[in-house]
């Protein structure tokens, strides 16, 4: 009996201890949760134990400043793992859930009609997104830098948006603009525009675009480090600013002759890019196009353009030679800064182009100029700094090796400056019979 009584007394004591602990911890648990208003008729509740933020009520959420702490849950946004927006909510406000970077689960209600700019920006852990049929307006950058997205769908019946053919992309019907993609996106036929920042930072393995595409908008594929080759389809006329910036796995790109406009910094930071020919169809060329493309060995600037834009080849240390077309009359600043591999330069304009802030090259490399313009270059600002200036045709070239089996009795062939035989030379500089010549 004594042992039984002792056990009962011990149990009573333990219950008292647990009761006291509960009284102490209960206020702490209550303080850890959070709630409040987030718009007229709307409230929020954060449950710490599940790391879930719930928005409930009827109406539109407030807009918040870009300051990540402006939203009521800003201080603990990195603790949020799930966001539940309940029926009755009609709009998600600006920057509402920006930088909820560990949020993996998102529920949008079928009463939602509007998603404001940057509403879910930098929600980098969000993998799946379903847009309700009720949504009629999604502002730019609403899902900007949601880089781990793998699945995108739109509920049937949405009159404004679709994800046709299970393409894993968000498409605006009226304009055929792909406004959001992910690593598993297959760009469907009929898409006309790849929207701004549509694939920003995605682990996209390829960028196969259908022939219907005419515009690649600003930052469309920016930071897609897994891209290694891009074939831009014929029909594309415009490539926007930073469209492929920092695609640091990109080695090869094909630009068709339908392109007429290339924006600023299009290939900036593509450190593995080896070659990129700009077609003669391009009439508008931005600055910093090949900025810090350290592996770039071959690049061109189209005949017909009148300026070499600033920072065009900035720190392209693998470039060995560059031809400036006859149409160029002005060269902007820092075009050749850091082009330490440059061994020769050719300028086809009989009148020396104006150089803004100098050329930033090793002036001991040979400069080739049109026949009859030698003295002009030797007296022109900046150009006269070159120690070795030659009129094209004057300087022998001994680096061309005939291919095995070539007949020396045939008409002398043309070669590119890189030593490749050219069957039908167009306007430019070539090597023939061991000398550089200009074909006009």
């Amino acid at each position: 009996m004594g042992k039984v009584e002792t056990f009962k007394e011990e149990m009573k004591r333990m219950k008292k201890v647990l009761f006291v602990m509960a009284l102490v911890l209960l206020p702490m648990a209550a303080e850890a949760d959070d709630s409040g208003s987030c718009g007229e008729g709307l409230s929020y509740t954060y449950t710490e134990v599940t790391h879930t933020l719930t928005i409930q009520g009827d109406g539109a959420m407030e807009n918040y400043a870009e300051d990540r702490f402006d939203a009521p849950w800003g201080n603990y946004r990195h603790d949020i793992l799930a966001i539940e927006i309940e029926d009755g909510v009609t709009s998600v406000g600006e920057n509402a859930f920006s930088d909820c970077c560990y949020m993996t689960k998102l529920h949008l209600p079928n009463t939602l009609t509007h998603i404001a700019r940057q509403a879910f920006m930098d929600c980098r852990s969000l993998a799946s997104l379903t847009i309700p049929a009720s949504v009629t307006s999604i502002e730019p950058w609403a899902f900007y830098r949601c880089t781990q997205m793998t699945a995108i769908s739109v509920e049937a019946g949405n009159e404004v948006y679709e994800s046709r053919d299970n393409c894993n992309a968000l498409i605006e019907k009226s304009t055929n603009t792909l406004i959001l993609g992910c690593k598993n996106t297959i760009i469907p036929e009929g898409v006309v525009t790849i929207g701004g920042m549509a694939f920003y930072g995605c682990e996209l393995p390829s960028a196969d675009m259908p022939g219907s595409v005419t515009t690649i908008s600003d930052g469309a594929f920016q930071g897609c480090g897994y891209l290694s080759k891009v074939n831009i389809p014929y029909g594309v006329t415009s490539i926007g600013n930073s469209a492929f910036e920092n695609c640091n796995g990109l080695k090869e790109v094909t630009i068709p002759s339908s392109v007429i406009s290339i924006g600023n910094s299009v290939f900036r930071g593509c450190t593995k890019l080896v070659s990129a020919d700009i077609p003669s169809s391009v009439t508008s060329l931005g600055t910093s196009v090949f900025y810090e493309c350290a592996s770039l060995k071959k690049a061109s600037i189209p005949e017909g353009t009148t300026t070499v834009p600033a920072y065009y080849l900035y720190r392209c240390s693998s470039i060995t030679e560059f031809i400036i077309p006859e149409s160029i009359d002005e060269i902007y600043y820092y075009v050749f800064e850091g082009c330490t591999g440059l061994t020769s330069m050719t300028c086809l304009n009989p009148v020396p182009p104006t150089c803004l802030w100098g050329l930033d090259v090793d002036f001991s490399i040979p400069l080739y100029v049109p026949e009859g313009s030698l003295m002009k270059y030797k007296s022109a600002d900046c150009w006269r700094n070159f120690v070795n200036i030659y009129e094209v045709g004057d300087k022998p070239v001994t680096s061309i090796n005939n291919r095995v089996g070539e007949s020396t009795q045939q008409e002398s062939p043309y070669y590119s400056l890189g030593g490749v035989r050219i069957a039908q030379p167009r306007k430019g500089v070539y090597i023939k019979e061991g000398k550089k010549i200009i074909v006009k």
Side-chain angles (χ1 to χ4, degrees):
M1 286 292 293
K3 290 184 178 180
V4 173
E5 291 297 329
T6 302
F7 176 75
K8 288 182 178 179
E9 291 296 325
E10 184 67 22
M11 289 298 294
K12 287 181 180 179
R13 189 182 68 82
M14 288 296 296
K15 287 181 179 178
K16 289 180 180 180
V17 171
L18 291 173
F19 180 72
V20 171
M21 289 180 64
L23 290 176
V24 172
L25 294 175
L26 186 59
M28 294 175 62
E31 287 177 7
D33 291 341
D34 187 28
S35 63
S37 174
C38 56
E40 186 175 351
L42 295 181
S43 62
Y44 71 91
T45 301
Y46 176 64
T47 306
E48 185 179 24
V49 67
T50 60
H51 299 277
T52 299
L53 179 66
T54 303
I55 310 297
Q56 61 262 319
D58 295 304
M61 289 184 65
E62 292 182 10
N63 293 322
Y64 299 100
E66 290 191 27
D67 180 354
R68 307 296 172 87
F69 296 97
D70 191 42
W73 42 84
N75 287 328
Y76 53 84
R77 67 191 183 282
H78 291 170
D79 297 327
I80 298 171
L81 300 183
I83 296 175
E84 295 281 345
I85 304 177
E86 296 184 350
D87 285 351
V89 178
T90 59
S91 174
V92 178
E94 290 184 12
N95 300 290
F97 306 108
S98 177
D99 198 32
C100 292
C101 57
Y102 296 107
M103 184 264 293
T104 60
K105 181 183 177 183
L106 172 65
H107 171 73
L108 301 176
N110 57 21
T111 55
L112 191 68
T113 60
H114 178 71
I115 302 175
R117 62 188 295 273
Q118 300 179 182
F120 297 96
M121 181 175 72
D122 288 328
C123 292
R124 297 183 181 90
S125 299
L126 183 63
S128 178
L129 174 66
T130 300
I131 300 297
S134 56
V135 173
T136 58
S137 172
I138 301 175
E139 291 187 7
W141 307 332
F143 297 93
Y144 178 46
R145 293 199 294 243
C146 294
T147 55
Q148 295 303 307
M149 199 91 73
T150 58
I152 300 172
S153 62
V154 180
E155 289 183 351
N158 192 302
E159 297 181 355
V160 179
Y161 302 102
E162 65 178 347
S163 183
R164 70 181 69 145
D165 303 323
N166 297 315
C167 63
N168 275 311
L170 181 60
I171 300 169
E172 186 179 58
K173 291 181 179 181
S174 63
T175 60
N176 268 313
T177 297
L178 191 154
I179 62 176
L180 181 66
C182 67
K183 66 180 294 185
N184 294 325
T185 294
I186 298 174
I187 304 173
E189 184 65 43
V191 167
V192 173
T193 301
I194 309 297
M197 307 292 180
F199 290 95
Y200 183 96
C202 289
E203 296 177 358
L204 194 68
S206 63
D208 295 327
M209 289 171 270
S212 55
V213 174
T214 62
T215 301
I216 301 174
S217 302
D218 294 354
F221 296 96
Q222 186 174 351
C224 293
Y226 285 75
L227 287 179
S228 61
K229 182 179 180 180
V230 172
N231 287 317
I232 298 172
Y234 186 86
V236 171
T237 59
S238 175
I239 304 175
N241 299 332
S242 302
F244 297 95
E245 182 176 348
N246 290 332
C247 291
N248 49 31
L250 186 62
K251 297 179 180 178
E252 183 180 347
V253 63
T254 302
I255 304 172
S257 58
S258 57
V259 173
I260 59 176
S261 175
I262 293 178
N264 302 327
S265 303
V266 168
F267 300 107
R268 179 173 180 156
C270 295
T271 54
K272 294 182 180 178
L273 186 64
V274 175
S275 65
D277 284 328
I278 307 295
S280 58
S281 57
V282 172
T283 57
S284 176
L285 196 59
T287 64
S288 307
V289 172
F290 297 110
Y291 190 105
E292 291 187 335
C293 292
S295 300
L296 192 68
K297 299 182 184 298
K298 181 183 178 184
S300 62
I301 193 162
E303 174 68 41
T305 54
T306 58
T307 63
V308 182
Y311 297 99
Y312 189 69
L313 296 174
Y314 185 80
R315 292 184 180 175
C316 292
S317 55
S318 297
I319 286 279
T320 57
E321 58 189 11
F322 190 71
I323 300 173
I324 301 170
E326 183 177 356
S327 59
I328 298 296
D329 54 29
E330 200 166 42
I331 299 175
Y332 277 72
Y333 41 86
Y334 299 125
V335 169
F336 302 105
E337 173 77 19
C339 294
T340 55
L342 200 61
T343 58
S344 71
M345 184 182 294
T346 302
C347 189
L348 301 181
N349 192 337
V351 178
T354 300
C355 299
L356 303 180
W357 296 17
L359 279 176
D360 303 300
V361 298
D362 177 2
F363 287 107
S364 68
I365 66 172
L367 170 66
Y368 298 97
V369 299
E371 292 184 20
S373 63
L374 181 64
M375 297 310 298
K376 293 179 183 178
Y377 277 85
K378 283 191 172 183
S379 60
D381 286 344
C382 184
W383 299 101
R384 61 177 173 232
N385 294 327
F386 280 92
V387 177
N388 303 298
I389 305 178
Y390 304 96
E391 291 188 351
V392 174
D394 288 349
K395 181 66 175 177
V397 179
T398 59
S399 61
I400 297 299
N401 296 317
N402 288 333
R403 295 180 181 179
V404 176
E406 279 187 348
S407 171
T408 57
Q409 301 301 316
Q410 297 176 348
E411 181 181 350
S412 299
Y414 291 87
Y415 293 89
S416 71
L417 297 182
V420 178
R421 186 167 179 169
I422 305 298
Q424 295 180 331
R426 295 184 296 177
K427 183 185 295 186
V429 179
Y430 299 91
I431 298 170
K432 185 177 182 181
E433 296 180 349
K435 294 184 178 181
K436 282 191 175 183
I437 64 169
I438 297 178
V439 174
K440 295 186 177 181

